[in-house]
Amino acid sequence: MATLWTGERGSIKPKADFNAKDDAVALRKAMKGLGTNEKTLIDVLTQRSSGQRQLICKAYQEEAPGKTLVEDLEGDTHGHFEDLLVALVTPPAIYDCQEITKAMKGVGTKDSVLIEIFATRSNKQMKEISDAYIKQTEKKLTLDLKKETSGEFAKAILILAEGKRDENTHVDAAKAKEDAKTLYNAGEKKWGTDESKFIDILCQRSIPQLRQTLVEYKTISGKSLQESIEGEMSGDLEELLVAIVKCVKNVPAYLAERLHQGMKGGGTDECTLNRIMVSRSEIDMLDIRAEFKKLYSYSLHSAIESDTSDFYGDCLKKICGGDD
């Protein structure tokens, strides 16, 4: 069952001889009574597609009236392991929507989460996320983003949230040259930066068109567009526009870098690990693994192994798949 949230390069594929009732019974048994059989939870939930997990959720309620799989997982598991299992049984658009809500809650908005989600989702995925947001919160995503963000960063995030990027696959070489010149004149060539020109072009042109624009920009400027943005801007807007440029070039490489940042140095960012591992598990996890190895000379699987432990680490490694 192809959806907006699946691709050819996922590490998780639908199980061939799938039976939702059998899986629901196995999960119920794993959590019933004293003690929990975590291995069963991991084996079932990491070896089924998201669509299949939704059918298991439905079958679970039939097996255990008055209970839901999410509630039982929350009651029987704890910490990051619980968060990861709950993420696996949550439909993708709703999961993104929950992550966006968490990022906007409390003191200070976690802009890096918003940047990662909005820079990597397609127009159609954004539409599903916006619809899910209204259902979950009874509010419009764009209105809440307006309240929680400000300045040029808010302007850019709102364009992405509205899913207005051009989707034409045809590349207009003359337009790419013109846009590259506009960006050069708005940044490197003048005193002060006209950020609005960068936002308009990077948030609205099609991905193939932007790829050509990056080539033309290097020819005109002698620098890459990423280098120019890093030299001309700062803060959240710089982080967002650099993320867009990285995604224009290679989304899996950008996400591999995010995973690496989430595991290096002072402590592990489990929220980022969970979000990327779950949301990309059926889209391009095989490519993320390959890019991770290329960038850091060791495998994503081994990074997870050395940075996480117990059932949480076991579950992440199953989602990751092979140690290559």
Side-chain angles (χ1 to χ4, degrees):
M1 182 175 69
T3 72
L4 296 177
W5 306 91
T6 57
E8 295 299 312
R9 303 286 297 156
S11 55
I12 294 179
K13 306 282 184 197
K15 186 171 187 280
D17 52 348
F18 172 67
N19 185 310
K21 188 175 190 292
D22 288 353
D23 284 346
V25 170
L27 292 170
R28 181 86 182 104
K29 196 174 159 193
M31 291 187 282
K32 212 175 179 183
L34 284 175
T36 303
N37 185 340
E38 289 89 355
K39 188 180 182 305
T40 299
L41 301 184
I42 294 169
D43 286 348
V44 172
L45 296 177
T46 63
Q47 305 302 307
R48 310 294 183 270
S49 67
S50 178
Q52 288 175 333
R53 284 182 226 125
Q54 291 316 300
L55 297 173
I56 294 169
C57 287
K58 211 172 155 193
Y60 193 90
Q61 275 185 286
E62 289 162 12
E63 281 303 308
K67 291 179 177 285
T68 69
L69 179 52
V70 168
E71 286 164 356
D72 279 357
L73 288 170
E74 287 172 341
D76 272 66
T77 59
H78 306 284
H80 304 304
F81 181 49
E82 173 198 327
D83 294 340
L84 183 54
L85 293 179
V86 170
L88 282 166
V89 298
T90 304
I94 294 173
Y95 180 48
D96 271 358
C97 171
Q98 289 170 350
E99 289 293 291
I100 291 165
T101 305
K102 265 196 300 187
M104 292 194 290
K105 250 186 190 168
V107 181
T109 300
K110 292 186 183 70
D111 292 330
S112 62
V113 175
L114 300 183
I115 289 165
E116 178 203 298
I117 291 173
F118 291 121
T120 56
R121 303 308 188 252
S122 67
N123 287 354
K124 284 177 180 162
Q125 285 172 332
M126 279 314 312
K127 170 83 171 72
E128 272 198 16
I129 293 165
S130 296
D131 291 348
Y133 194 88
I134 289 175
K135 276 187 194 150
Q136 297 276 302
T137 65
E138 297 182 344
K139 289 185 277 186
K140 276 190 81 173
L141 175 57
T142 47
L143 293 180
D144 278 357
L145 284 168
K146 262 181 203 166
K147 278 186 228 158
E148 295 296 333
T149 57
S150 59
E152 296 296 300
F153 175 70
K155 184 184 165 189
I157 276 284
L158 286 165
I159 294 171
L160 296 174
E162 284 164 0
K164 295 274 179 74
R165 186 177 292 288
D166 179 18
E167 290 183 322
N168 191 345
T169 54
H170 169 72
V171 173
D172 181 335
K175 182 76 179 154
K177 265 186 187 161
E178 188 189 315
D179 281 347
K181 205 166 183 190
T182 300
L183 292 169
Y184 180 64
N185 291 339
E188 289 287 339
K189 204 180 172 190
K190 72 195 287 276
W191 179 255
T193 308
D194 185 350
E195 292 163 340
S196 66
K197 294 277 195 297
F198 283 80
I199 292 165
D200 289 344
I201 291 169
L202 288 173
C203 296
Q204 296 189 87
R205 299 288 187 267
S206 73
I207 300 301
Q209 185 66 28
L210 284 173
R211 278 192 193 122
Q212 186 60 33
T213 305
L214 296 187
V215 173
E216 299 296 347
Y217 186 87
K218 186 87 189 267
T219 306
I220 293 168
S221 166
K223 278 185 182 179
S224 72
L225 184 56
Q226 182 178 330
E227 287 168 329
S228 291
I229 293 167
E230 287 168 345
E232 296 285 322
M233 297 181 203
S234 61
D236 299 332
L237 182 64
E238 178 200 338
E239 194 187 329
L240 174 59
L241 296 182
V242 165
I244 291 170
V245 168
K246 286 178 178 178
C247 288
V248 165
K249 291 193 279 194
N250 189 332
V251 171
Y254 166 71
L255 292 170
E257 196 184 320
R258 288 278 296 158
L259 287 169
H260 184 255
Q261 285 165 353
M263 289 187 279
K264 70 172 190 184
T268 305
D269 178 357
E270 289 87 358
C271 292
T272 294
L273 294 195
N274 290 357
R275 187 174 54 254
I276 296 174
M277 297 300 291
V278 171
S279 67
R280 309 308 290 197
S281 60
E282 292 182 66
I283 300 173
D284 52 5
M285 184 51 65
L286 300 181
D287 295 327
I288 292 169
R289 268 169 31 190
E291 293 298 338
F292 193 97
K293 187 85 179 264
K294 209 187 286 179
L295 285 165
Y296 307 110
S297 303
Y298 56 91
S299 71
L300 176 57
H301 191 281
S302 64
I304 292 166
E305 194 154 49
S306 62
D307 234 74
T308 61
S309 58
D310 303 324
F311 296 117
Y312 175 61
D314 292 344
C315 196
L316 281 174
K317 284 183 284 185
K318 280 271 185 149
I319 295 168
C320 176
D323 184 15
D324 51 17

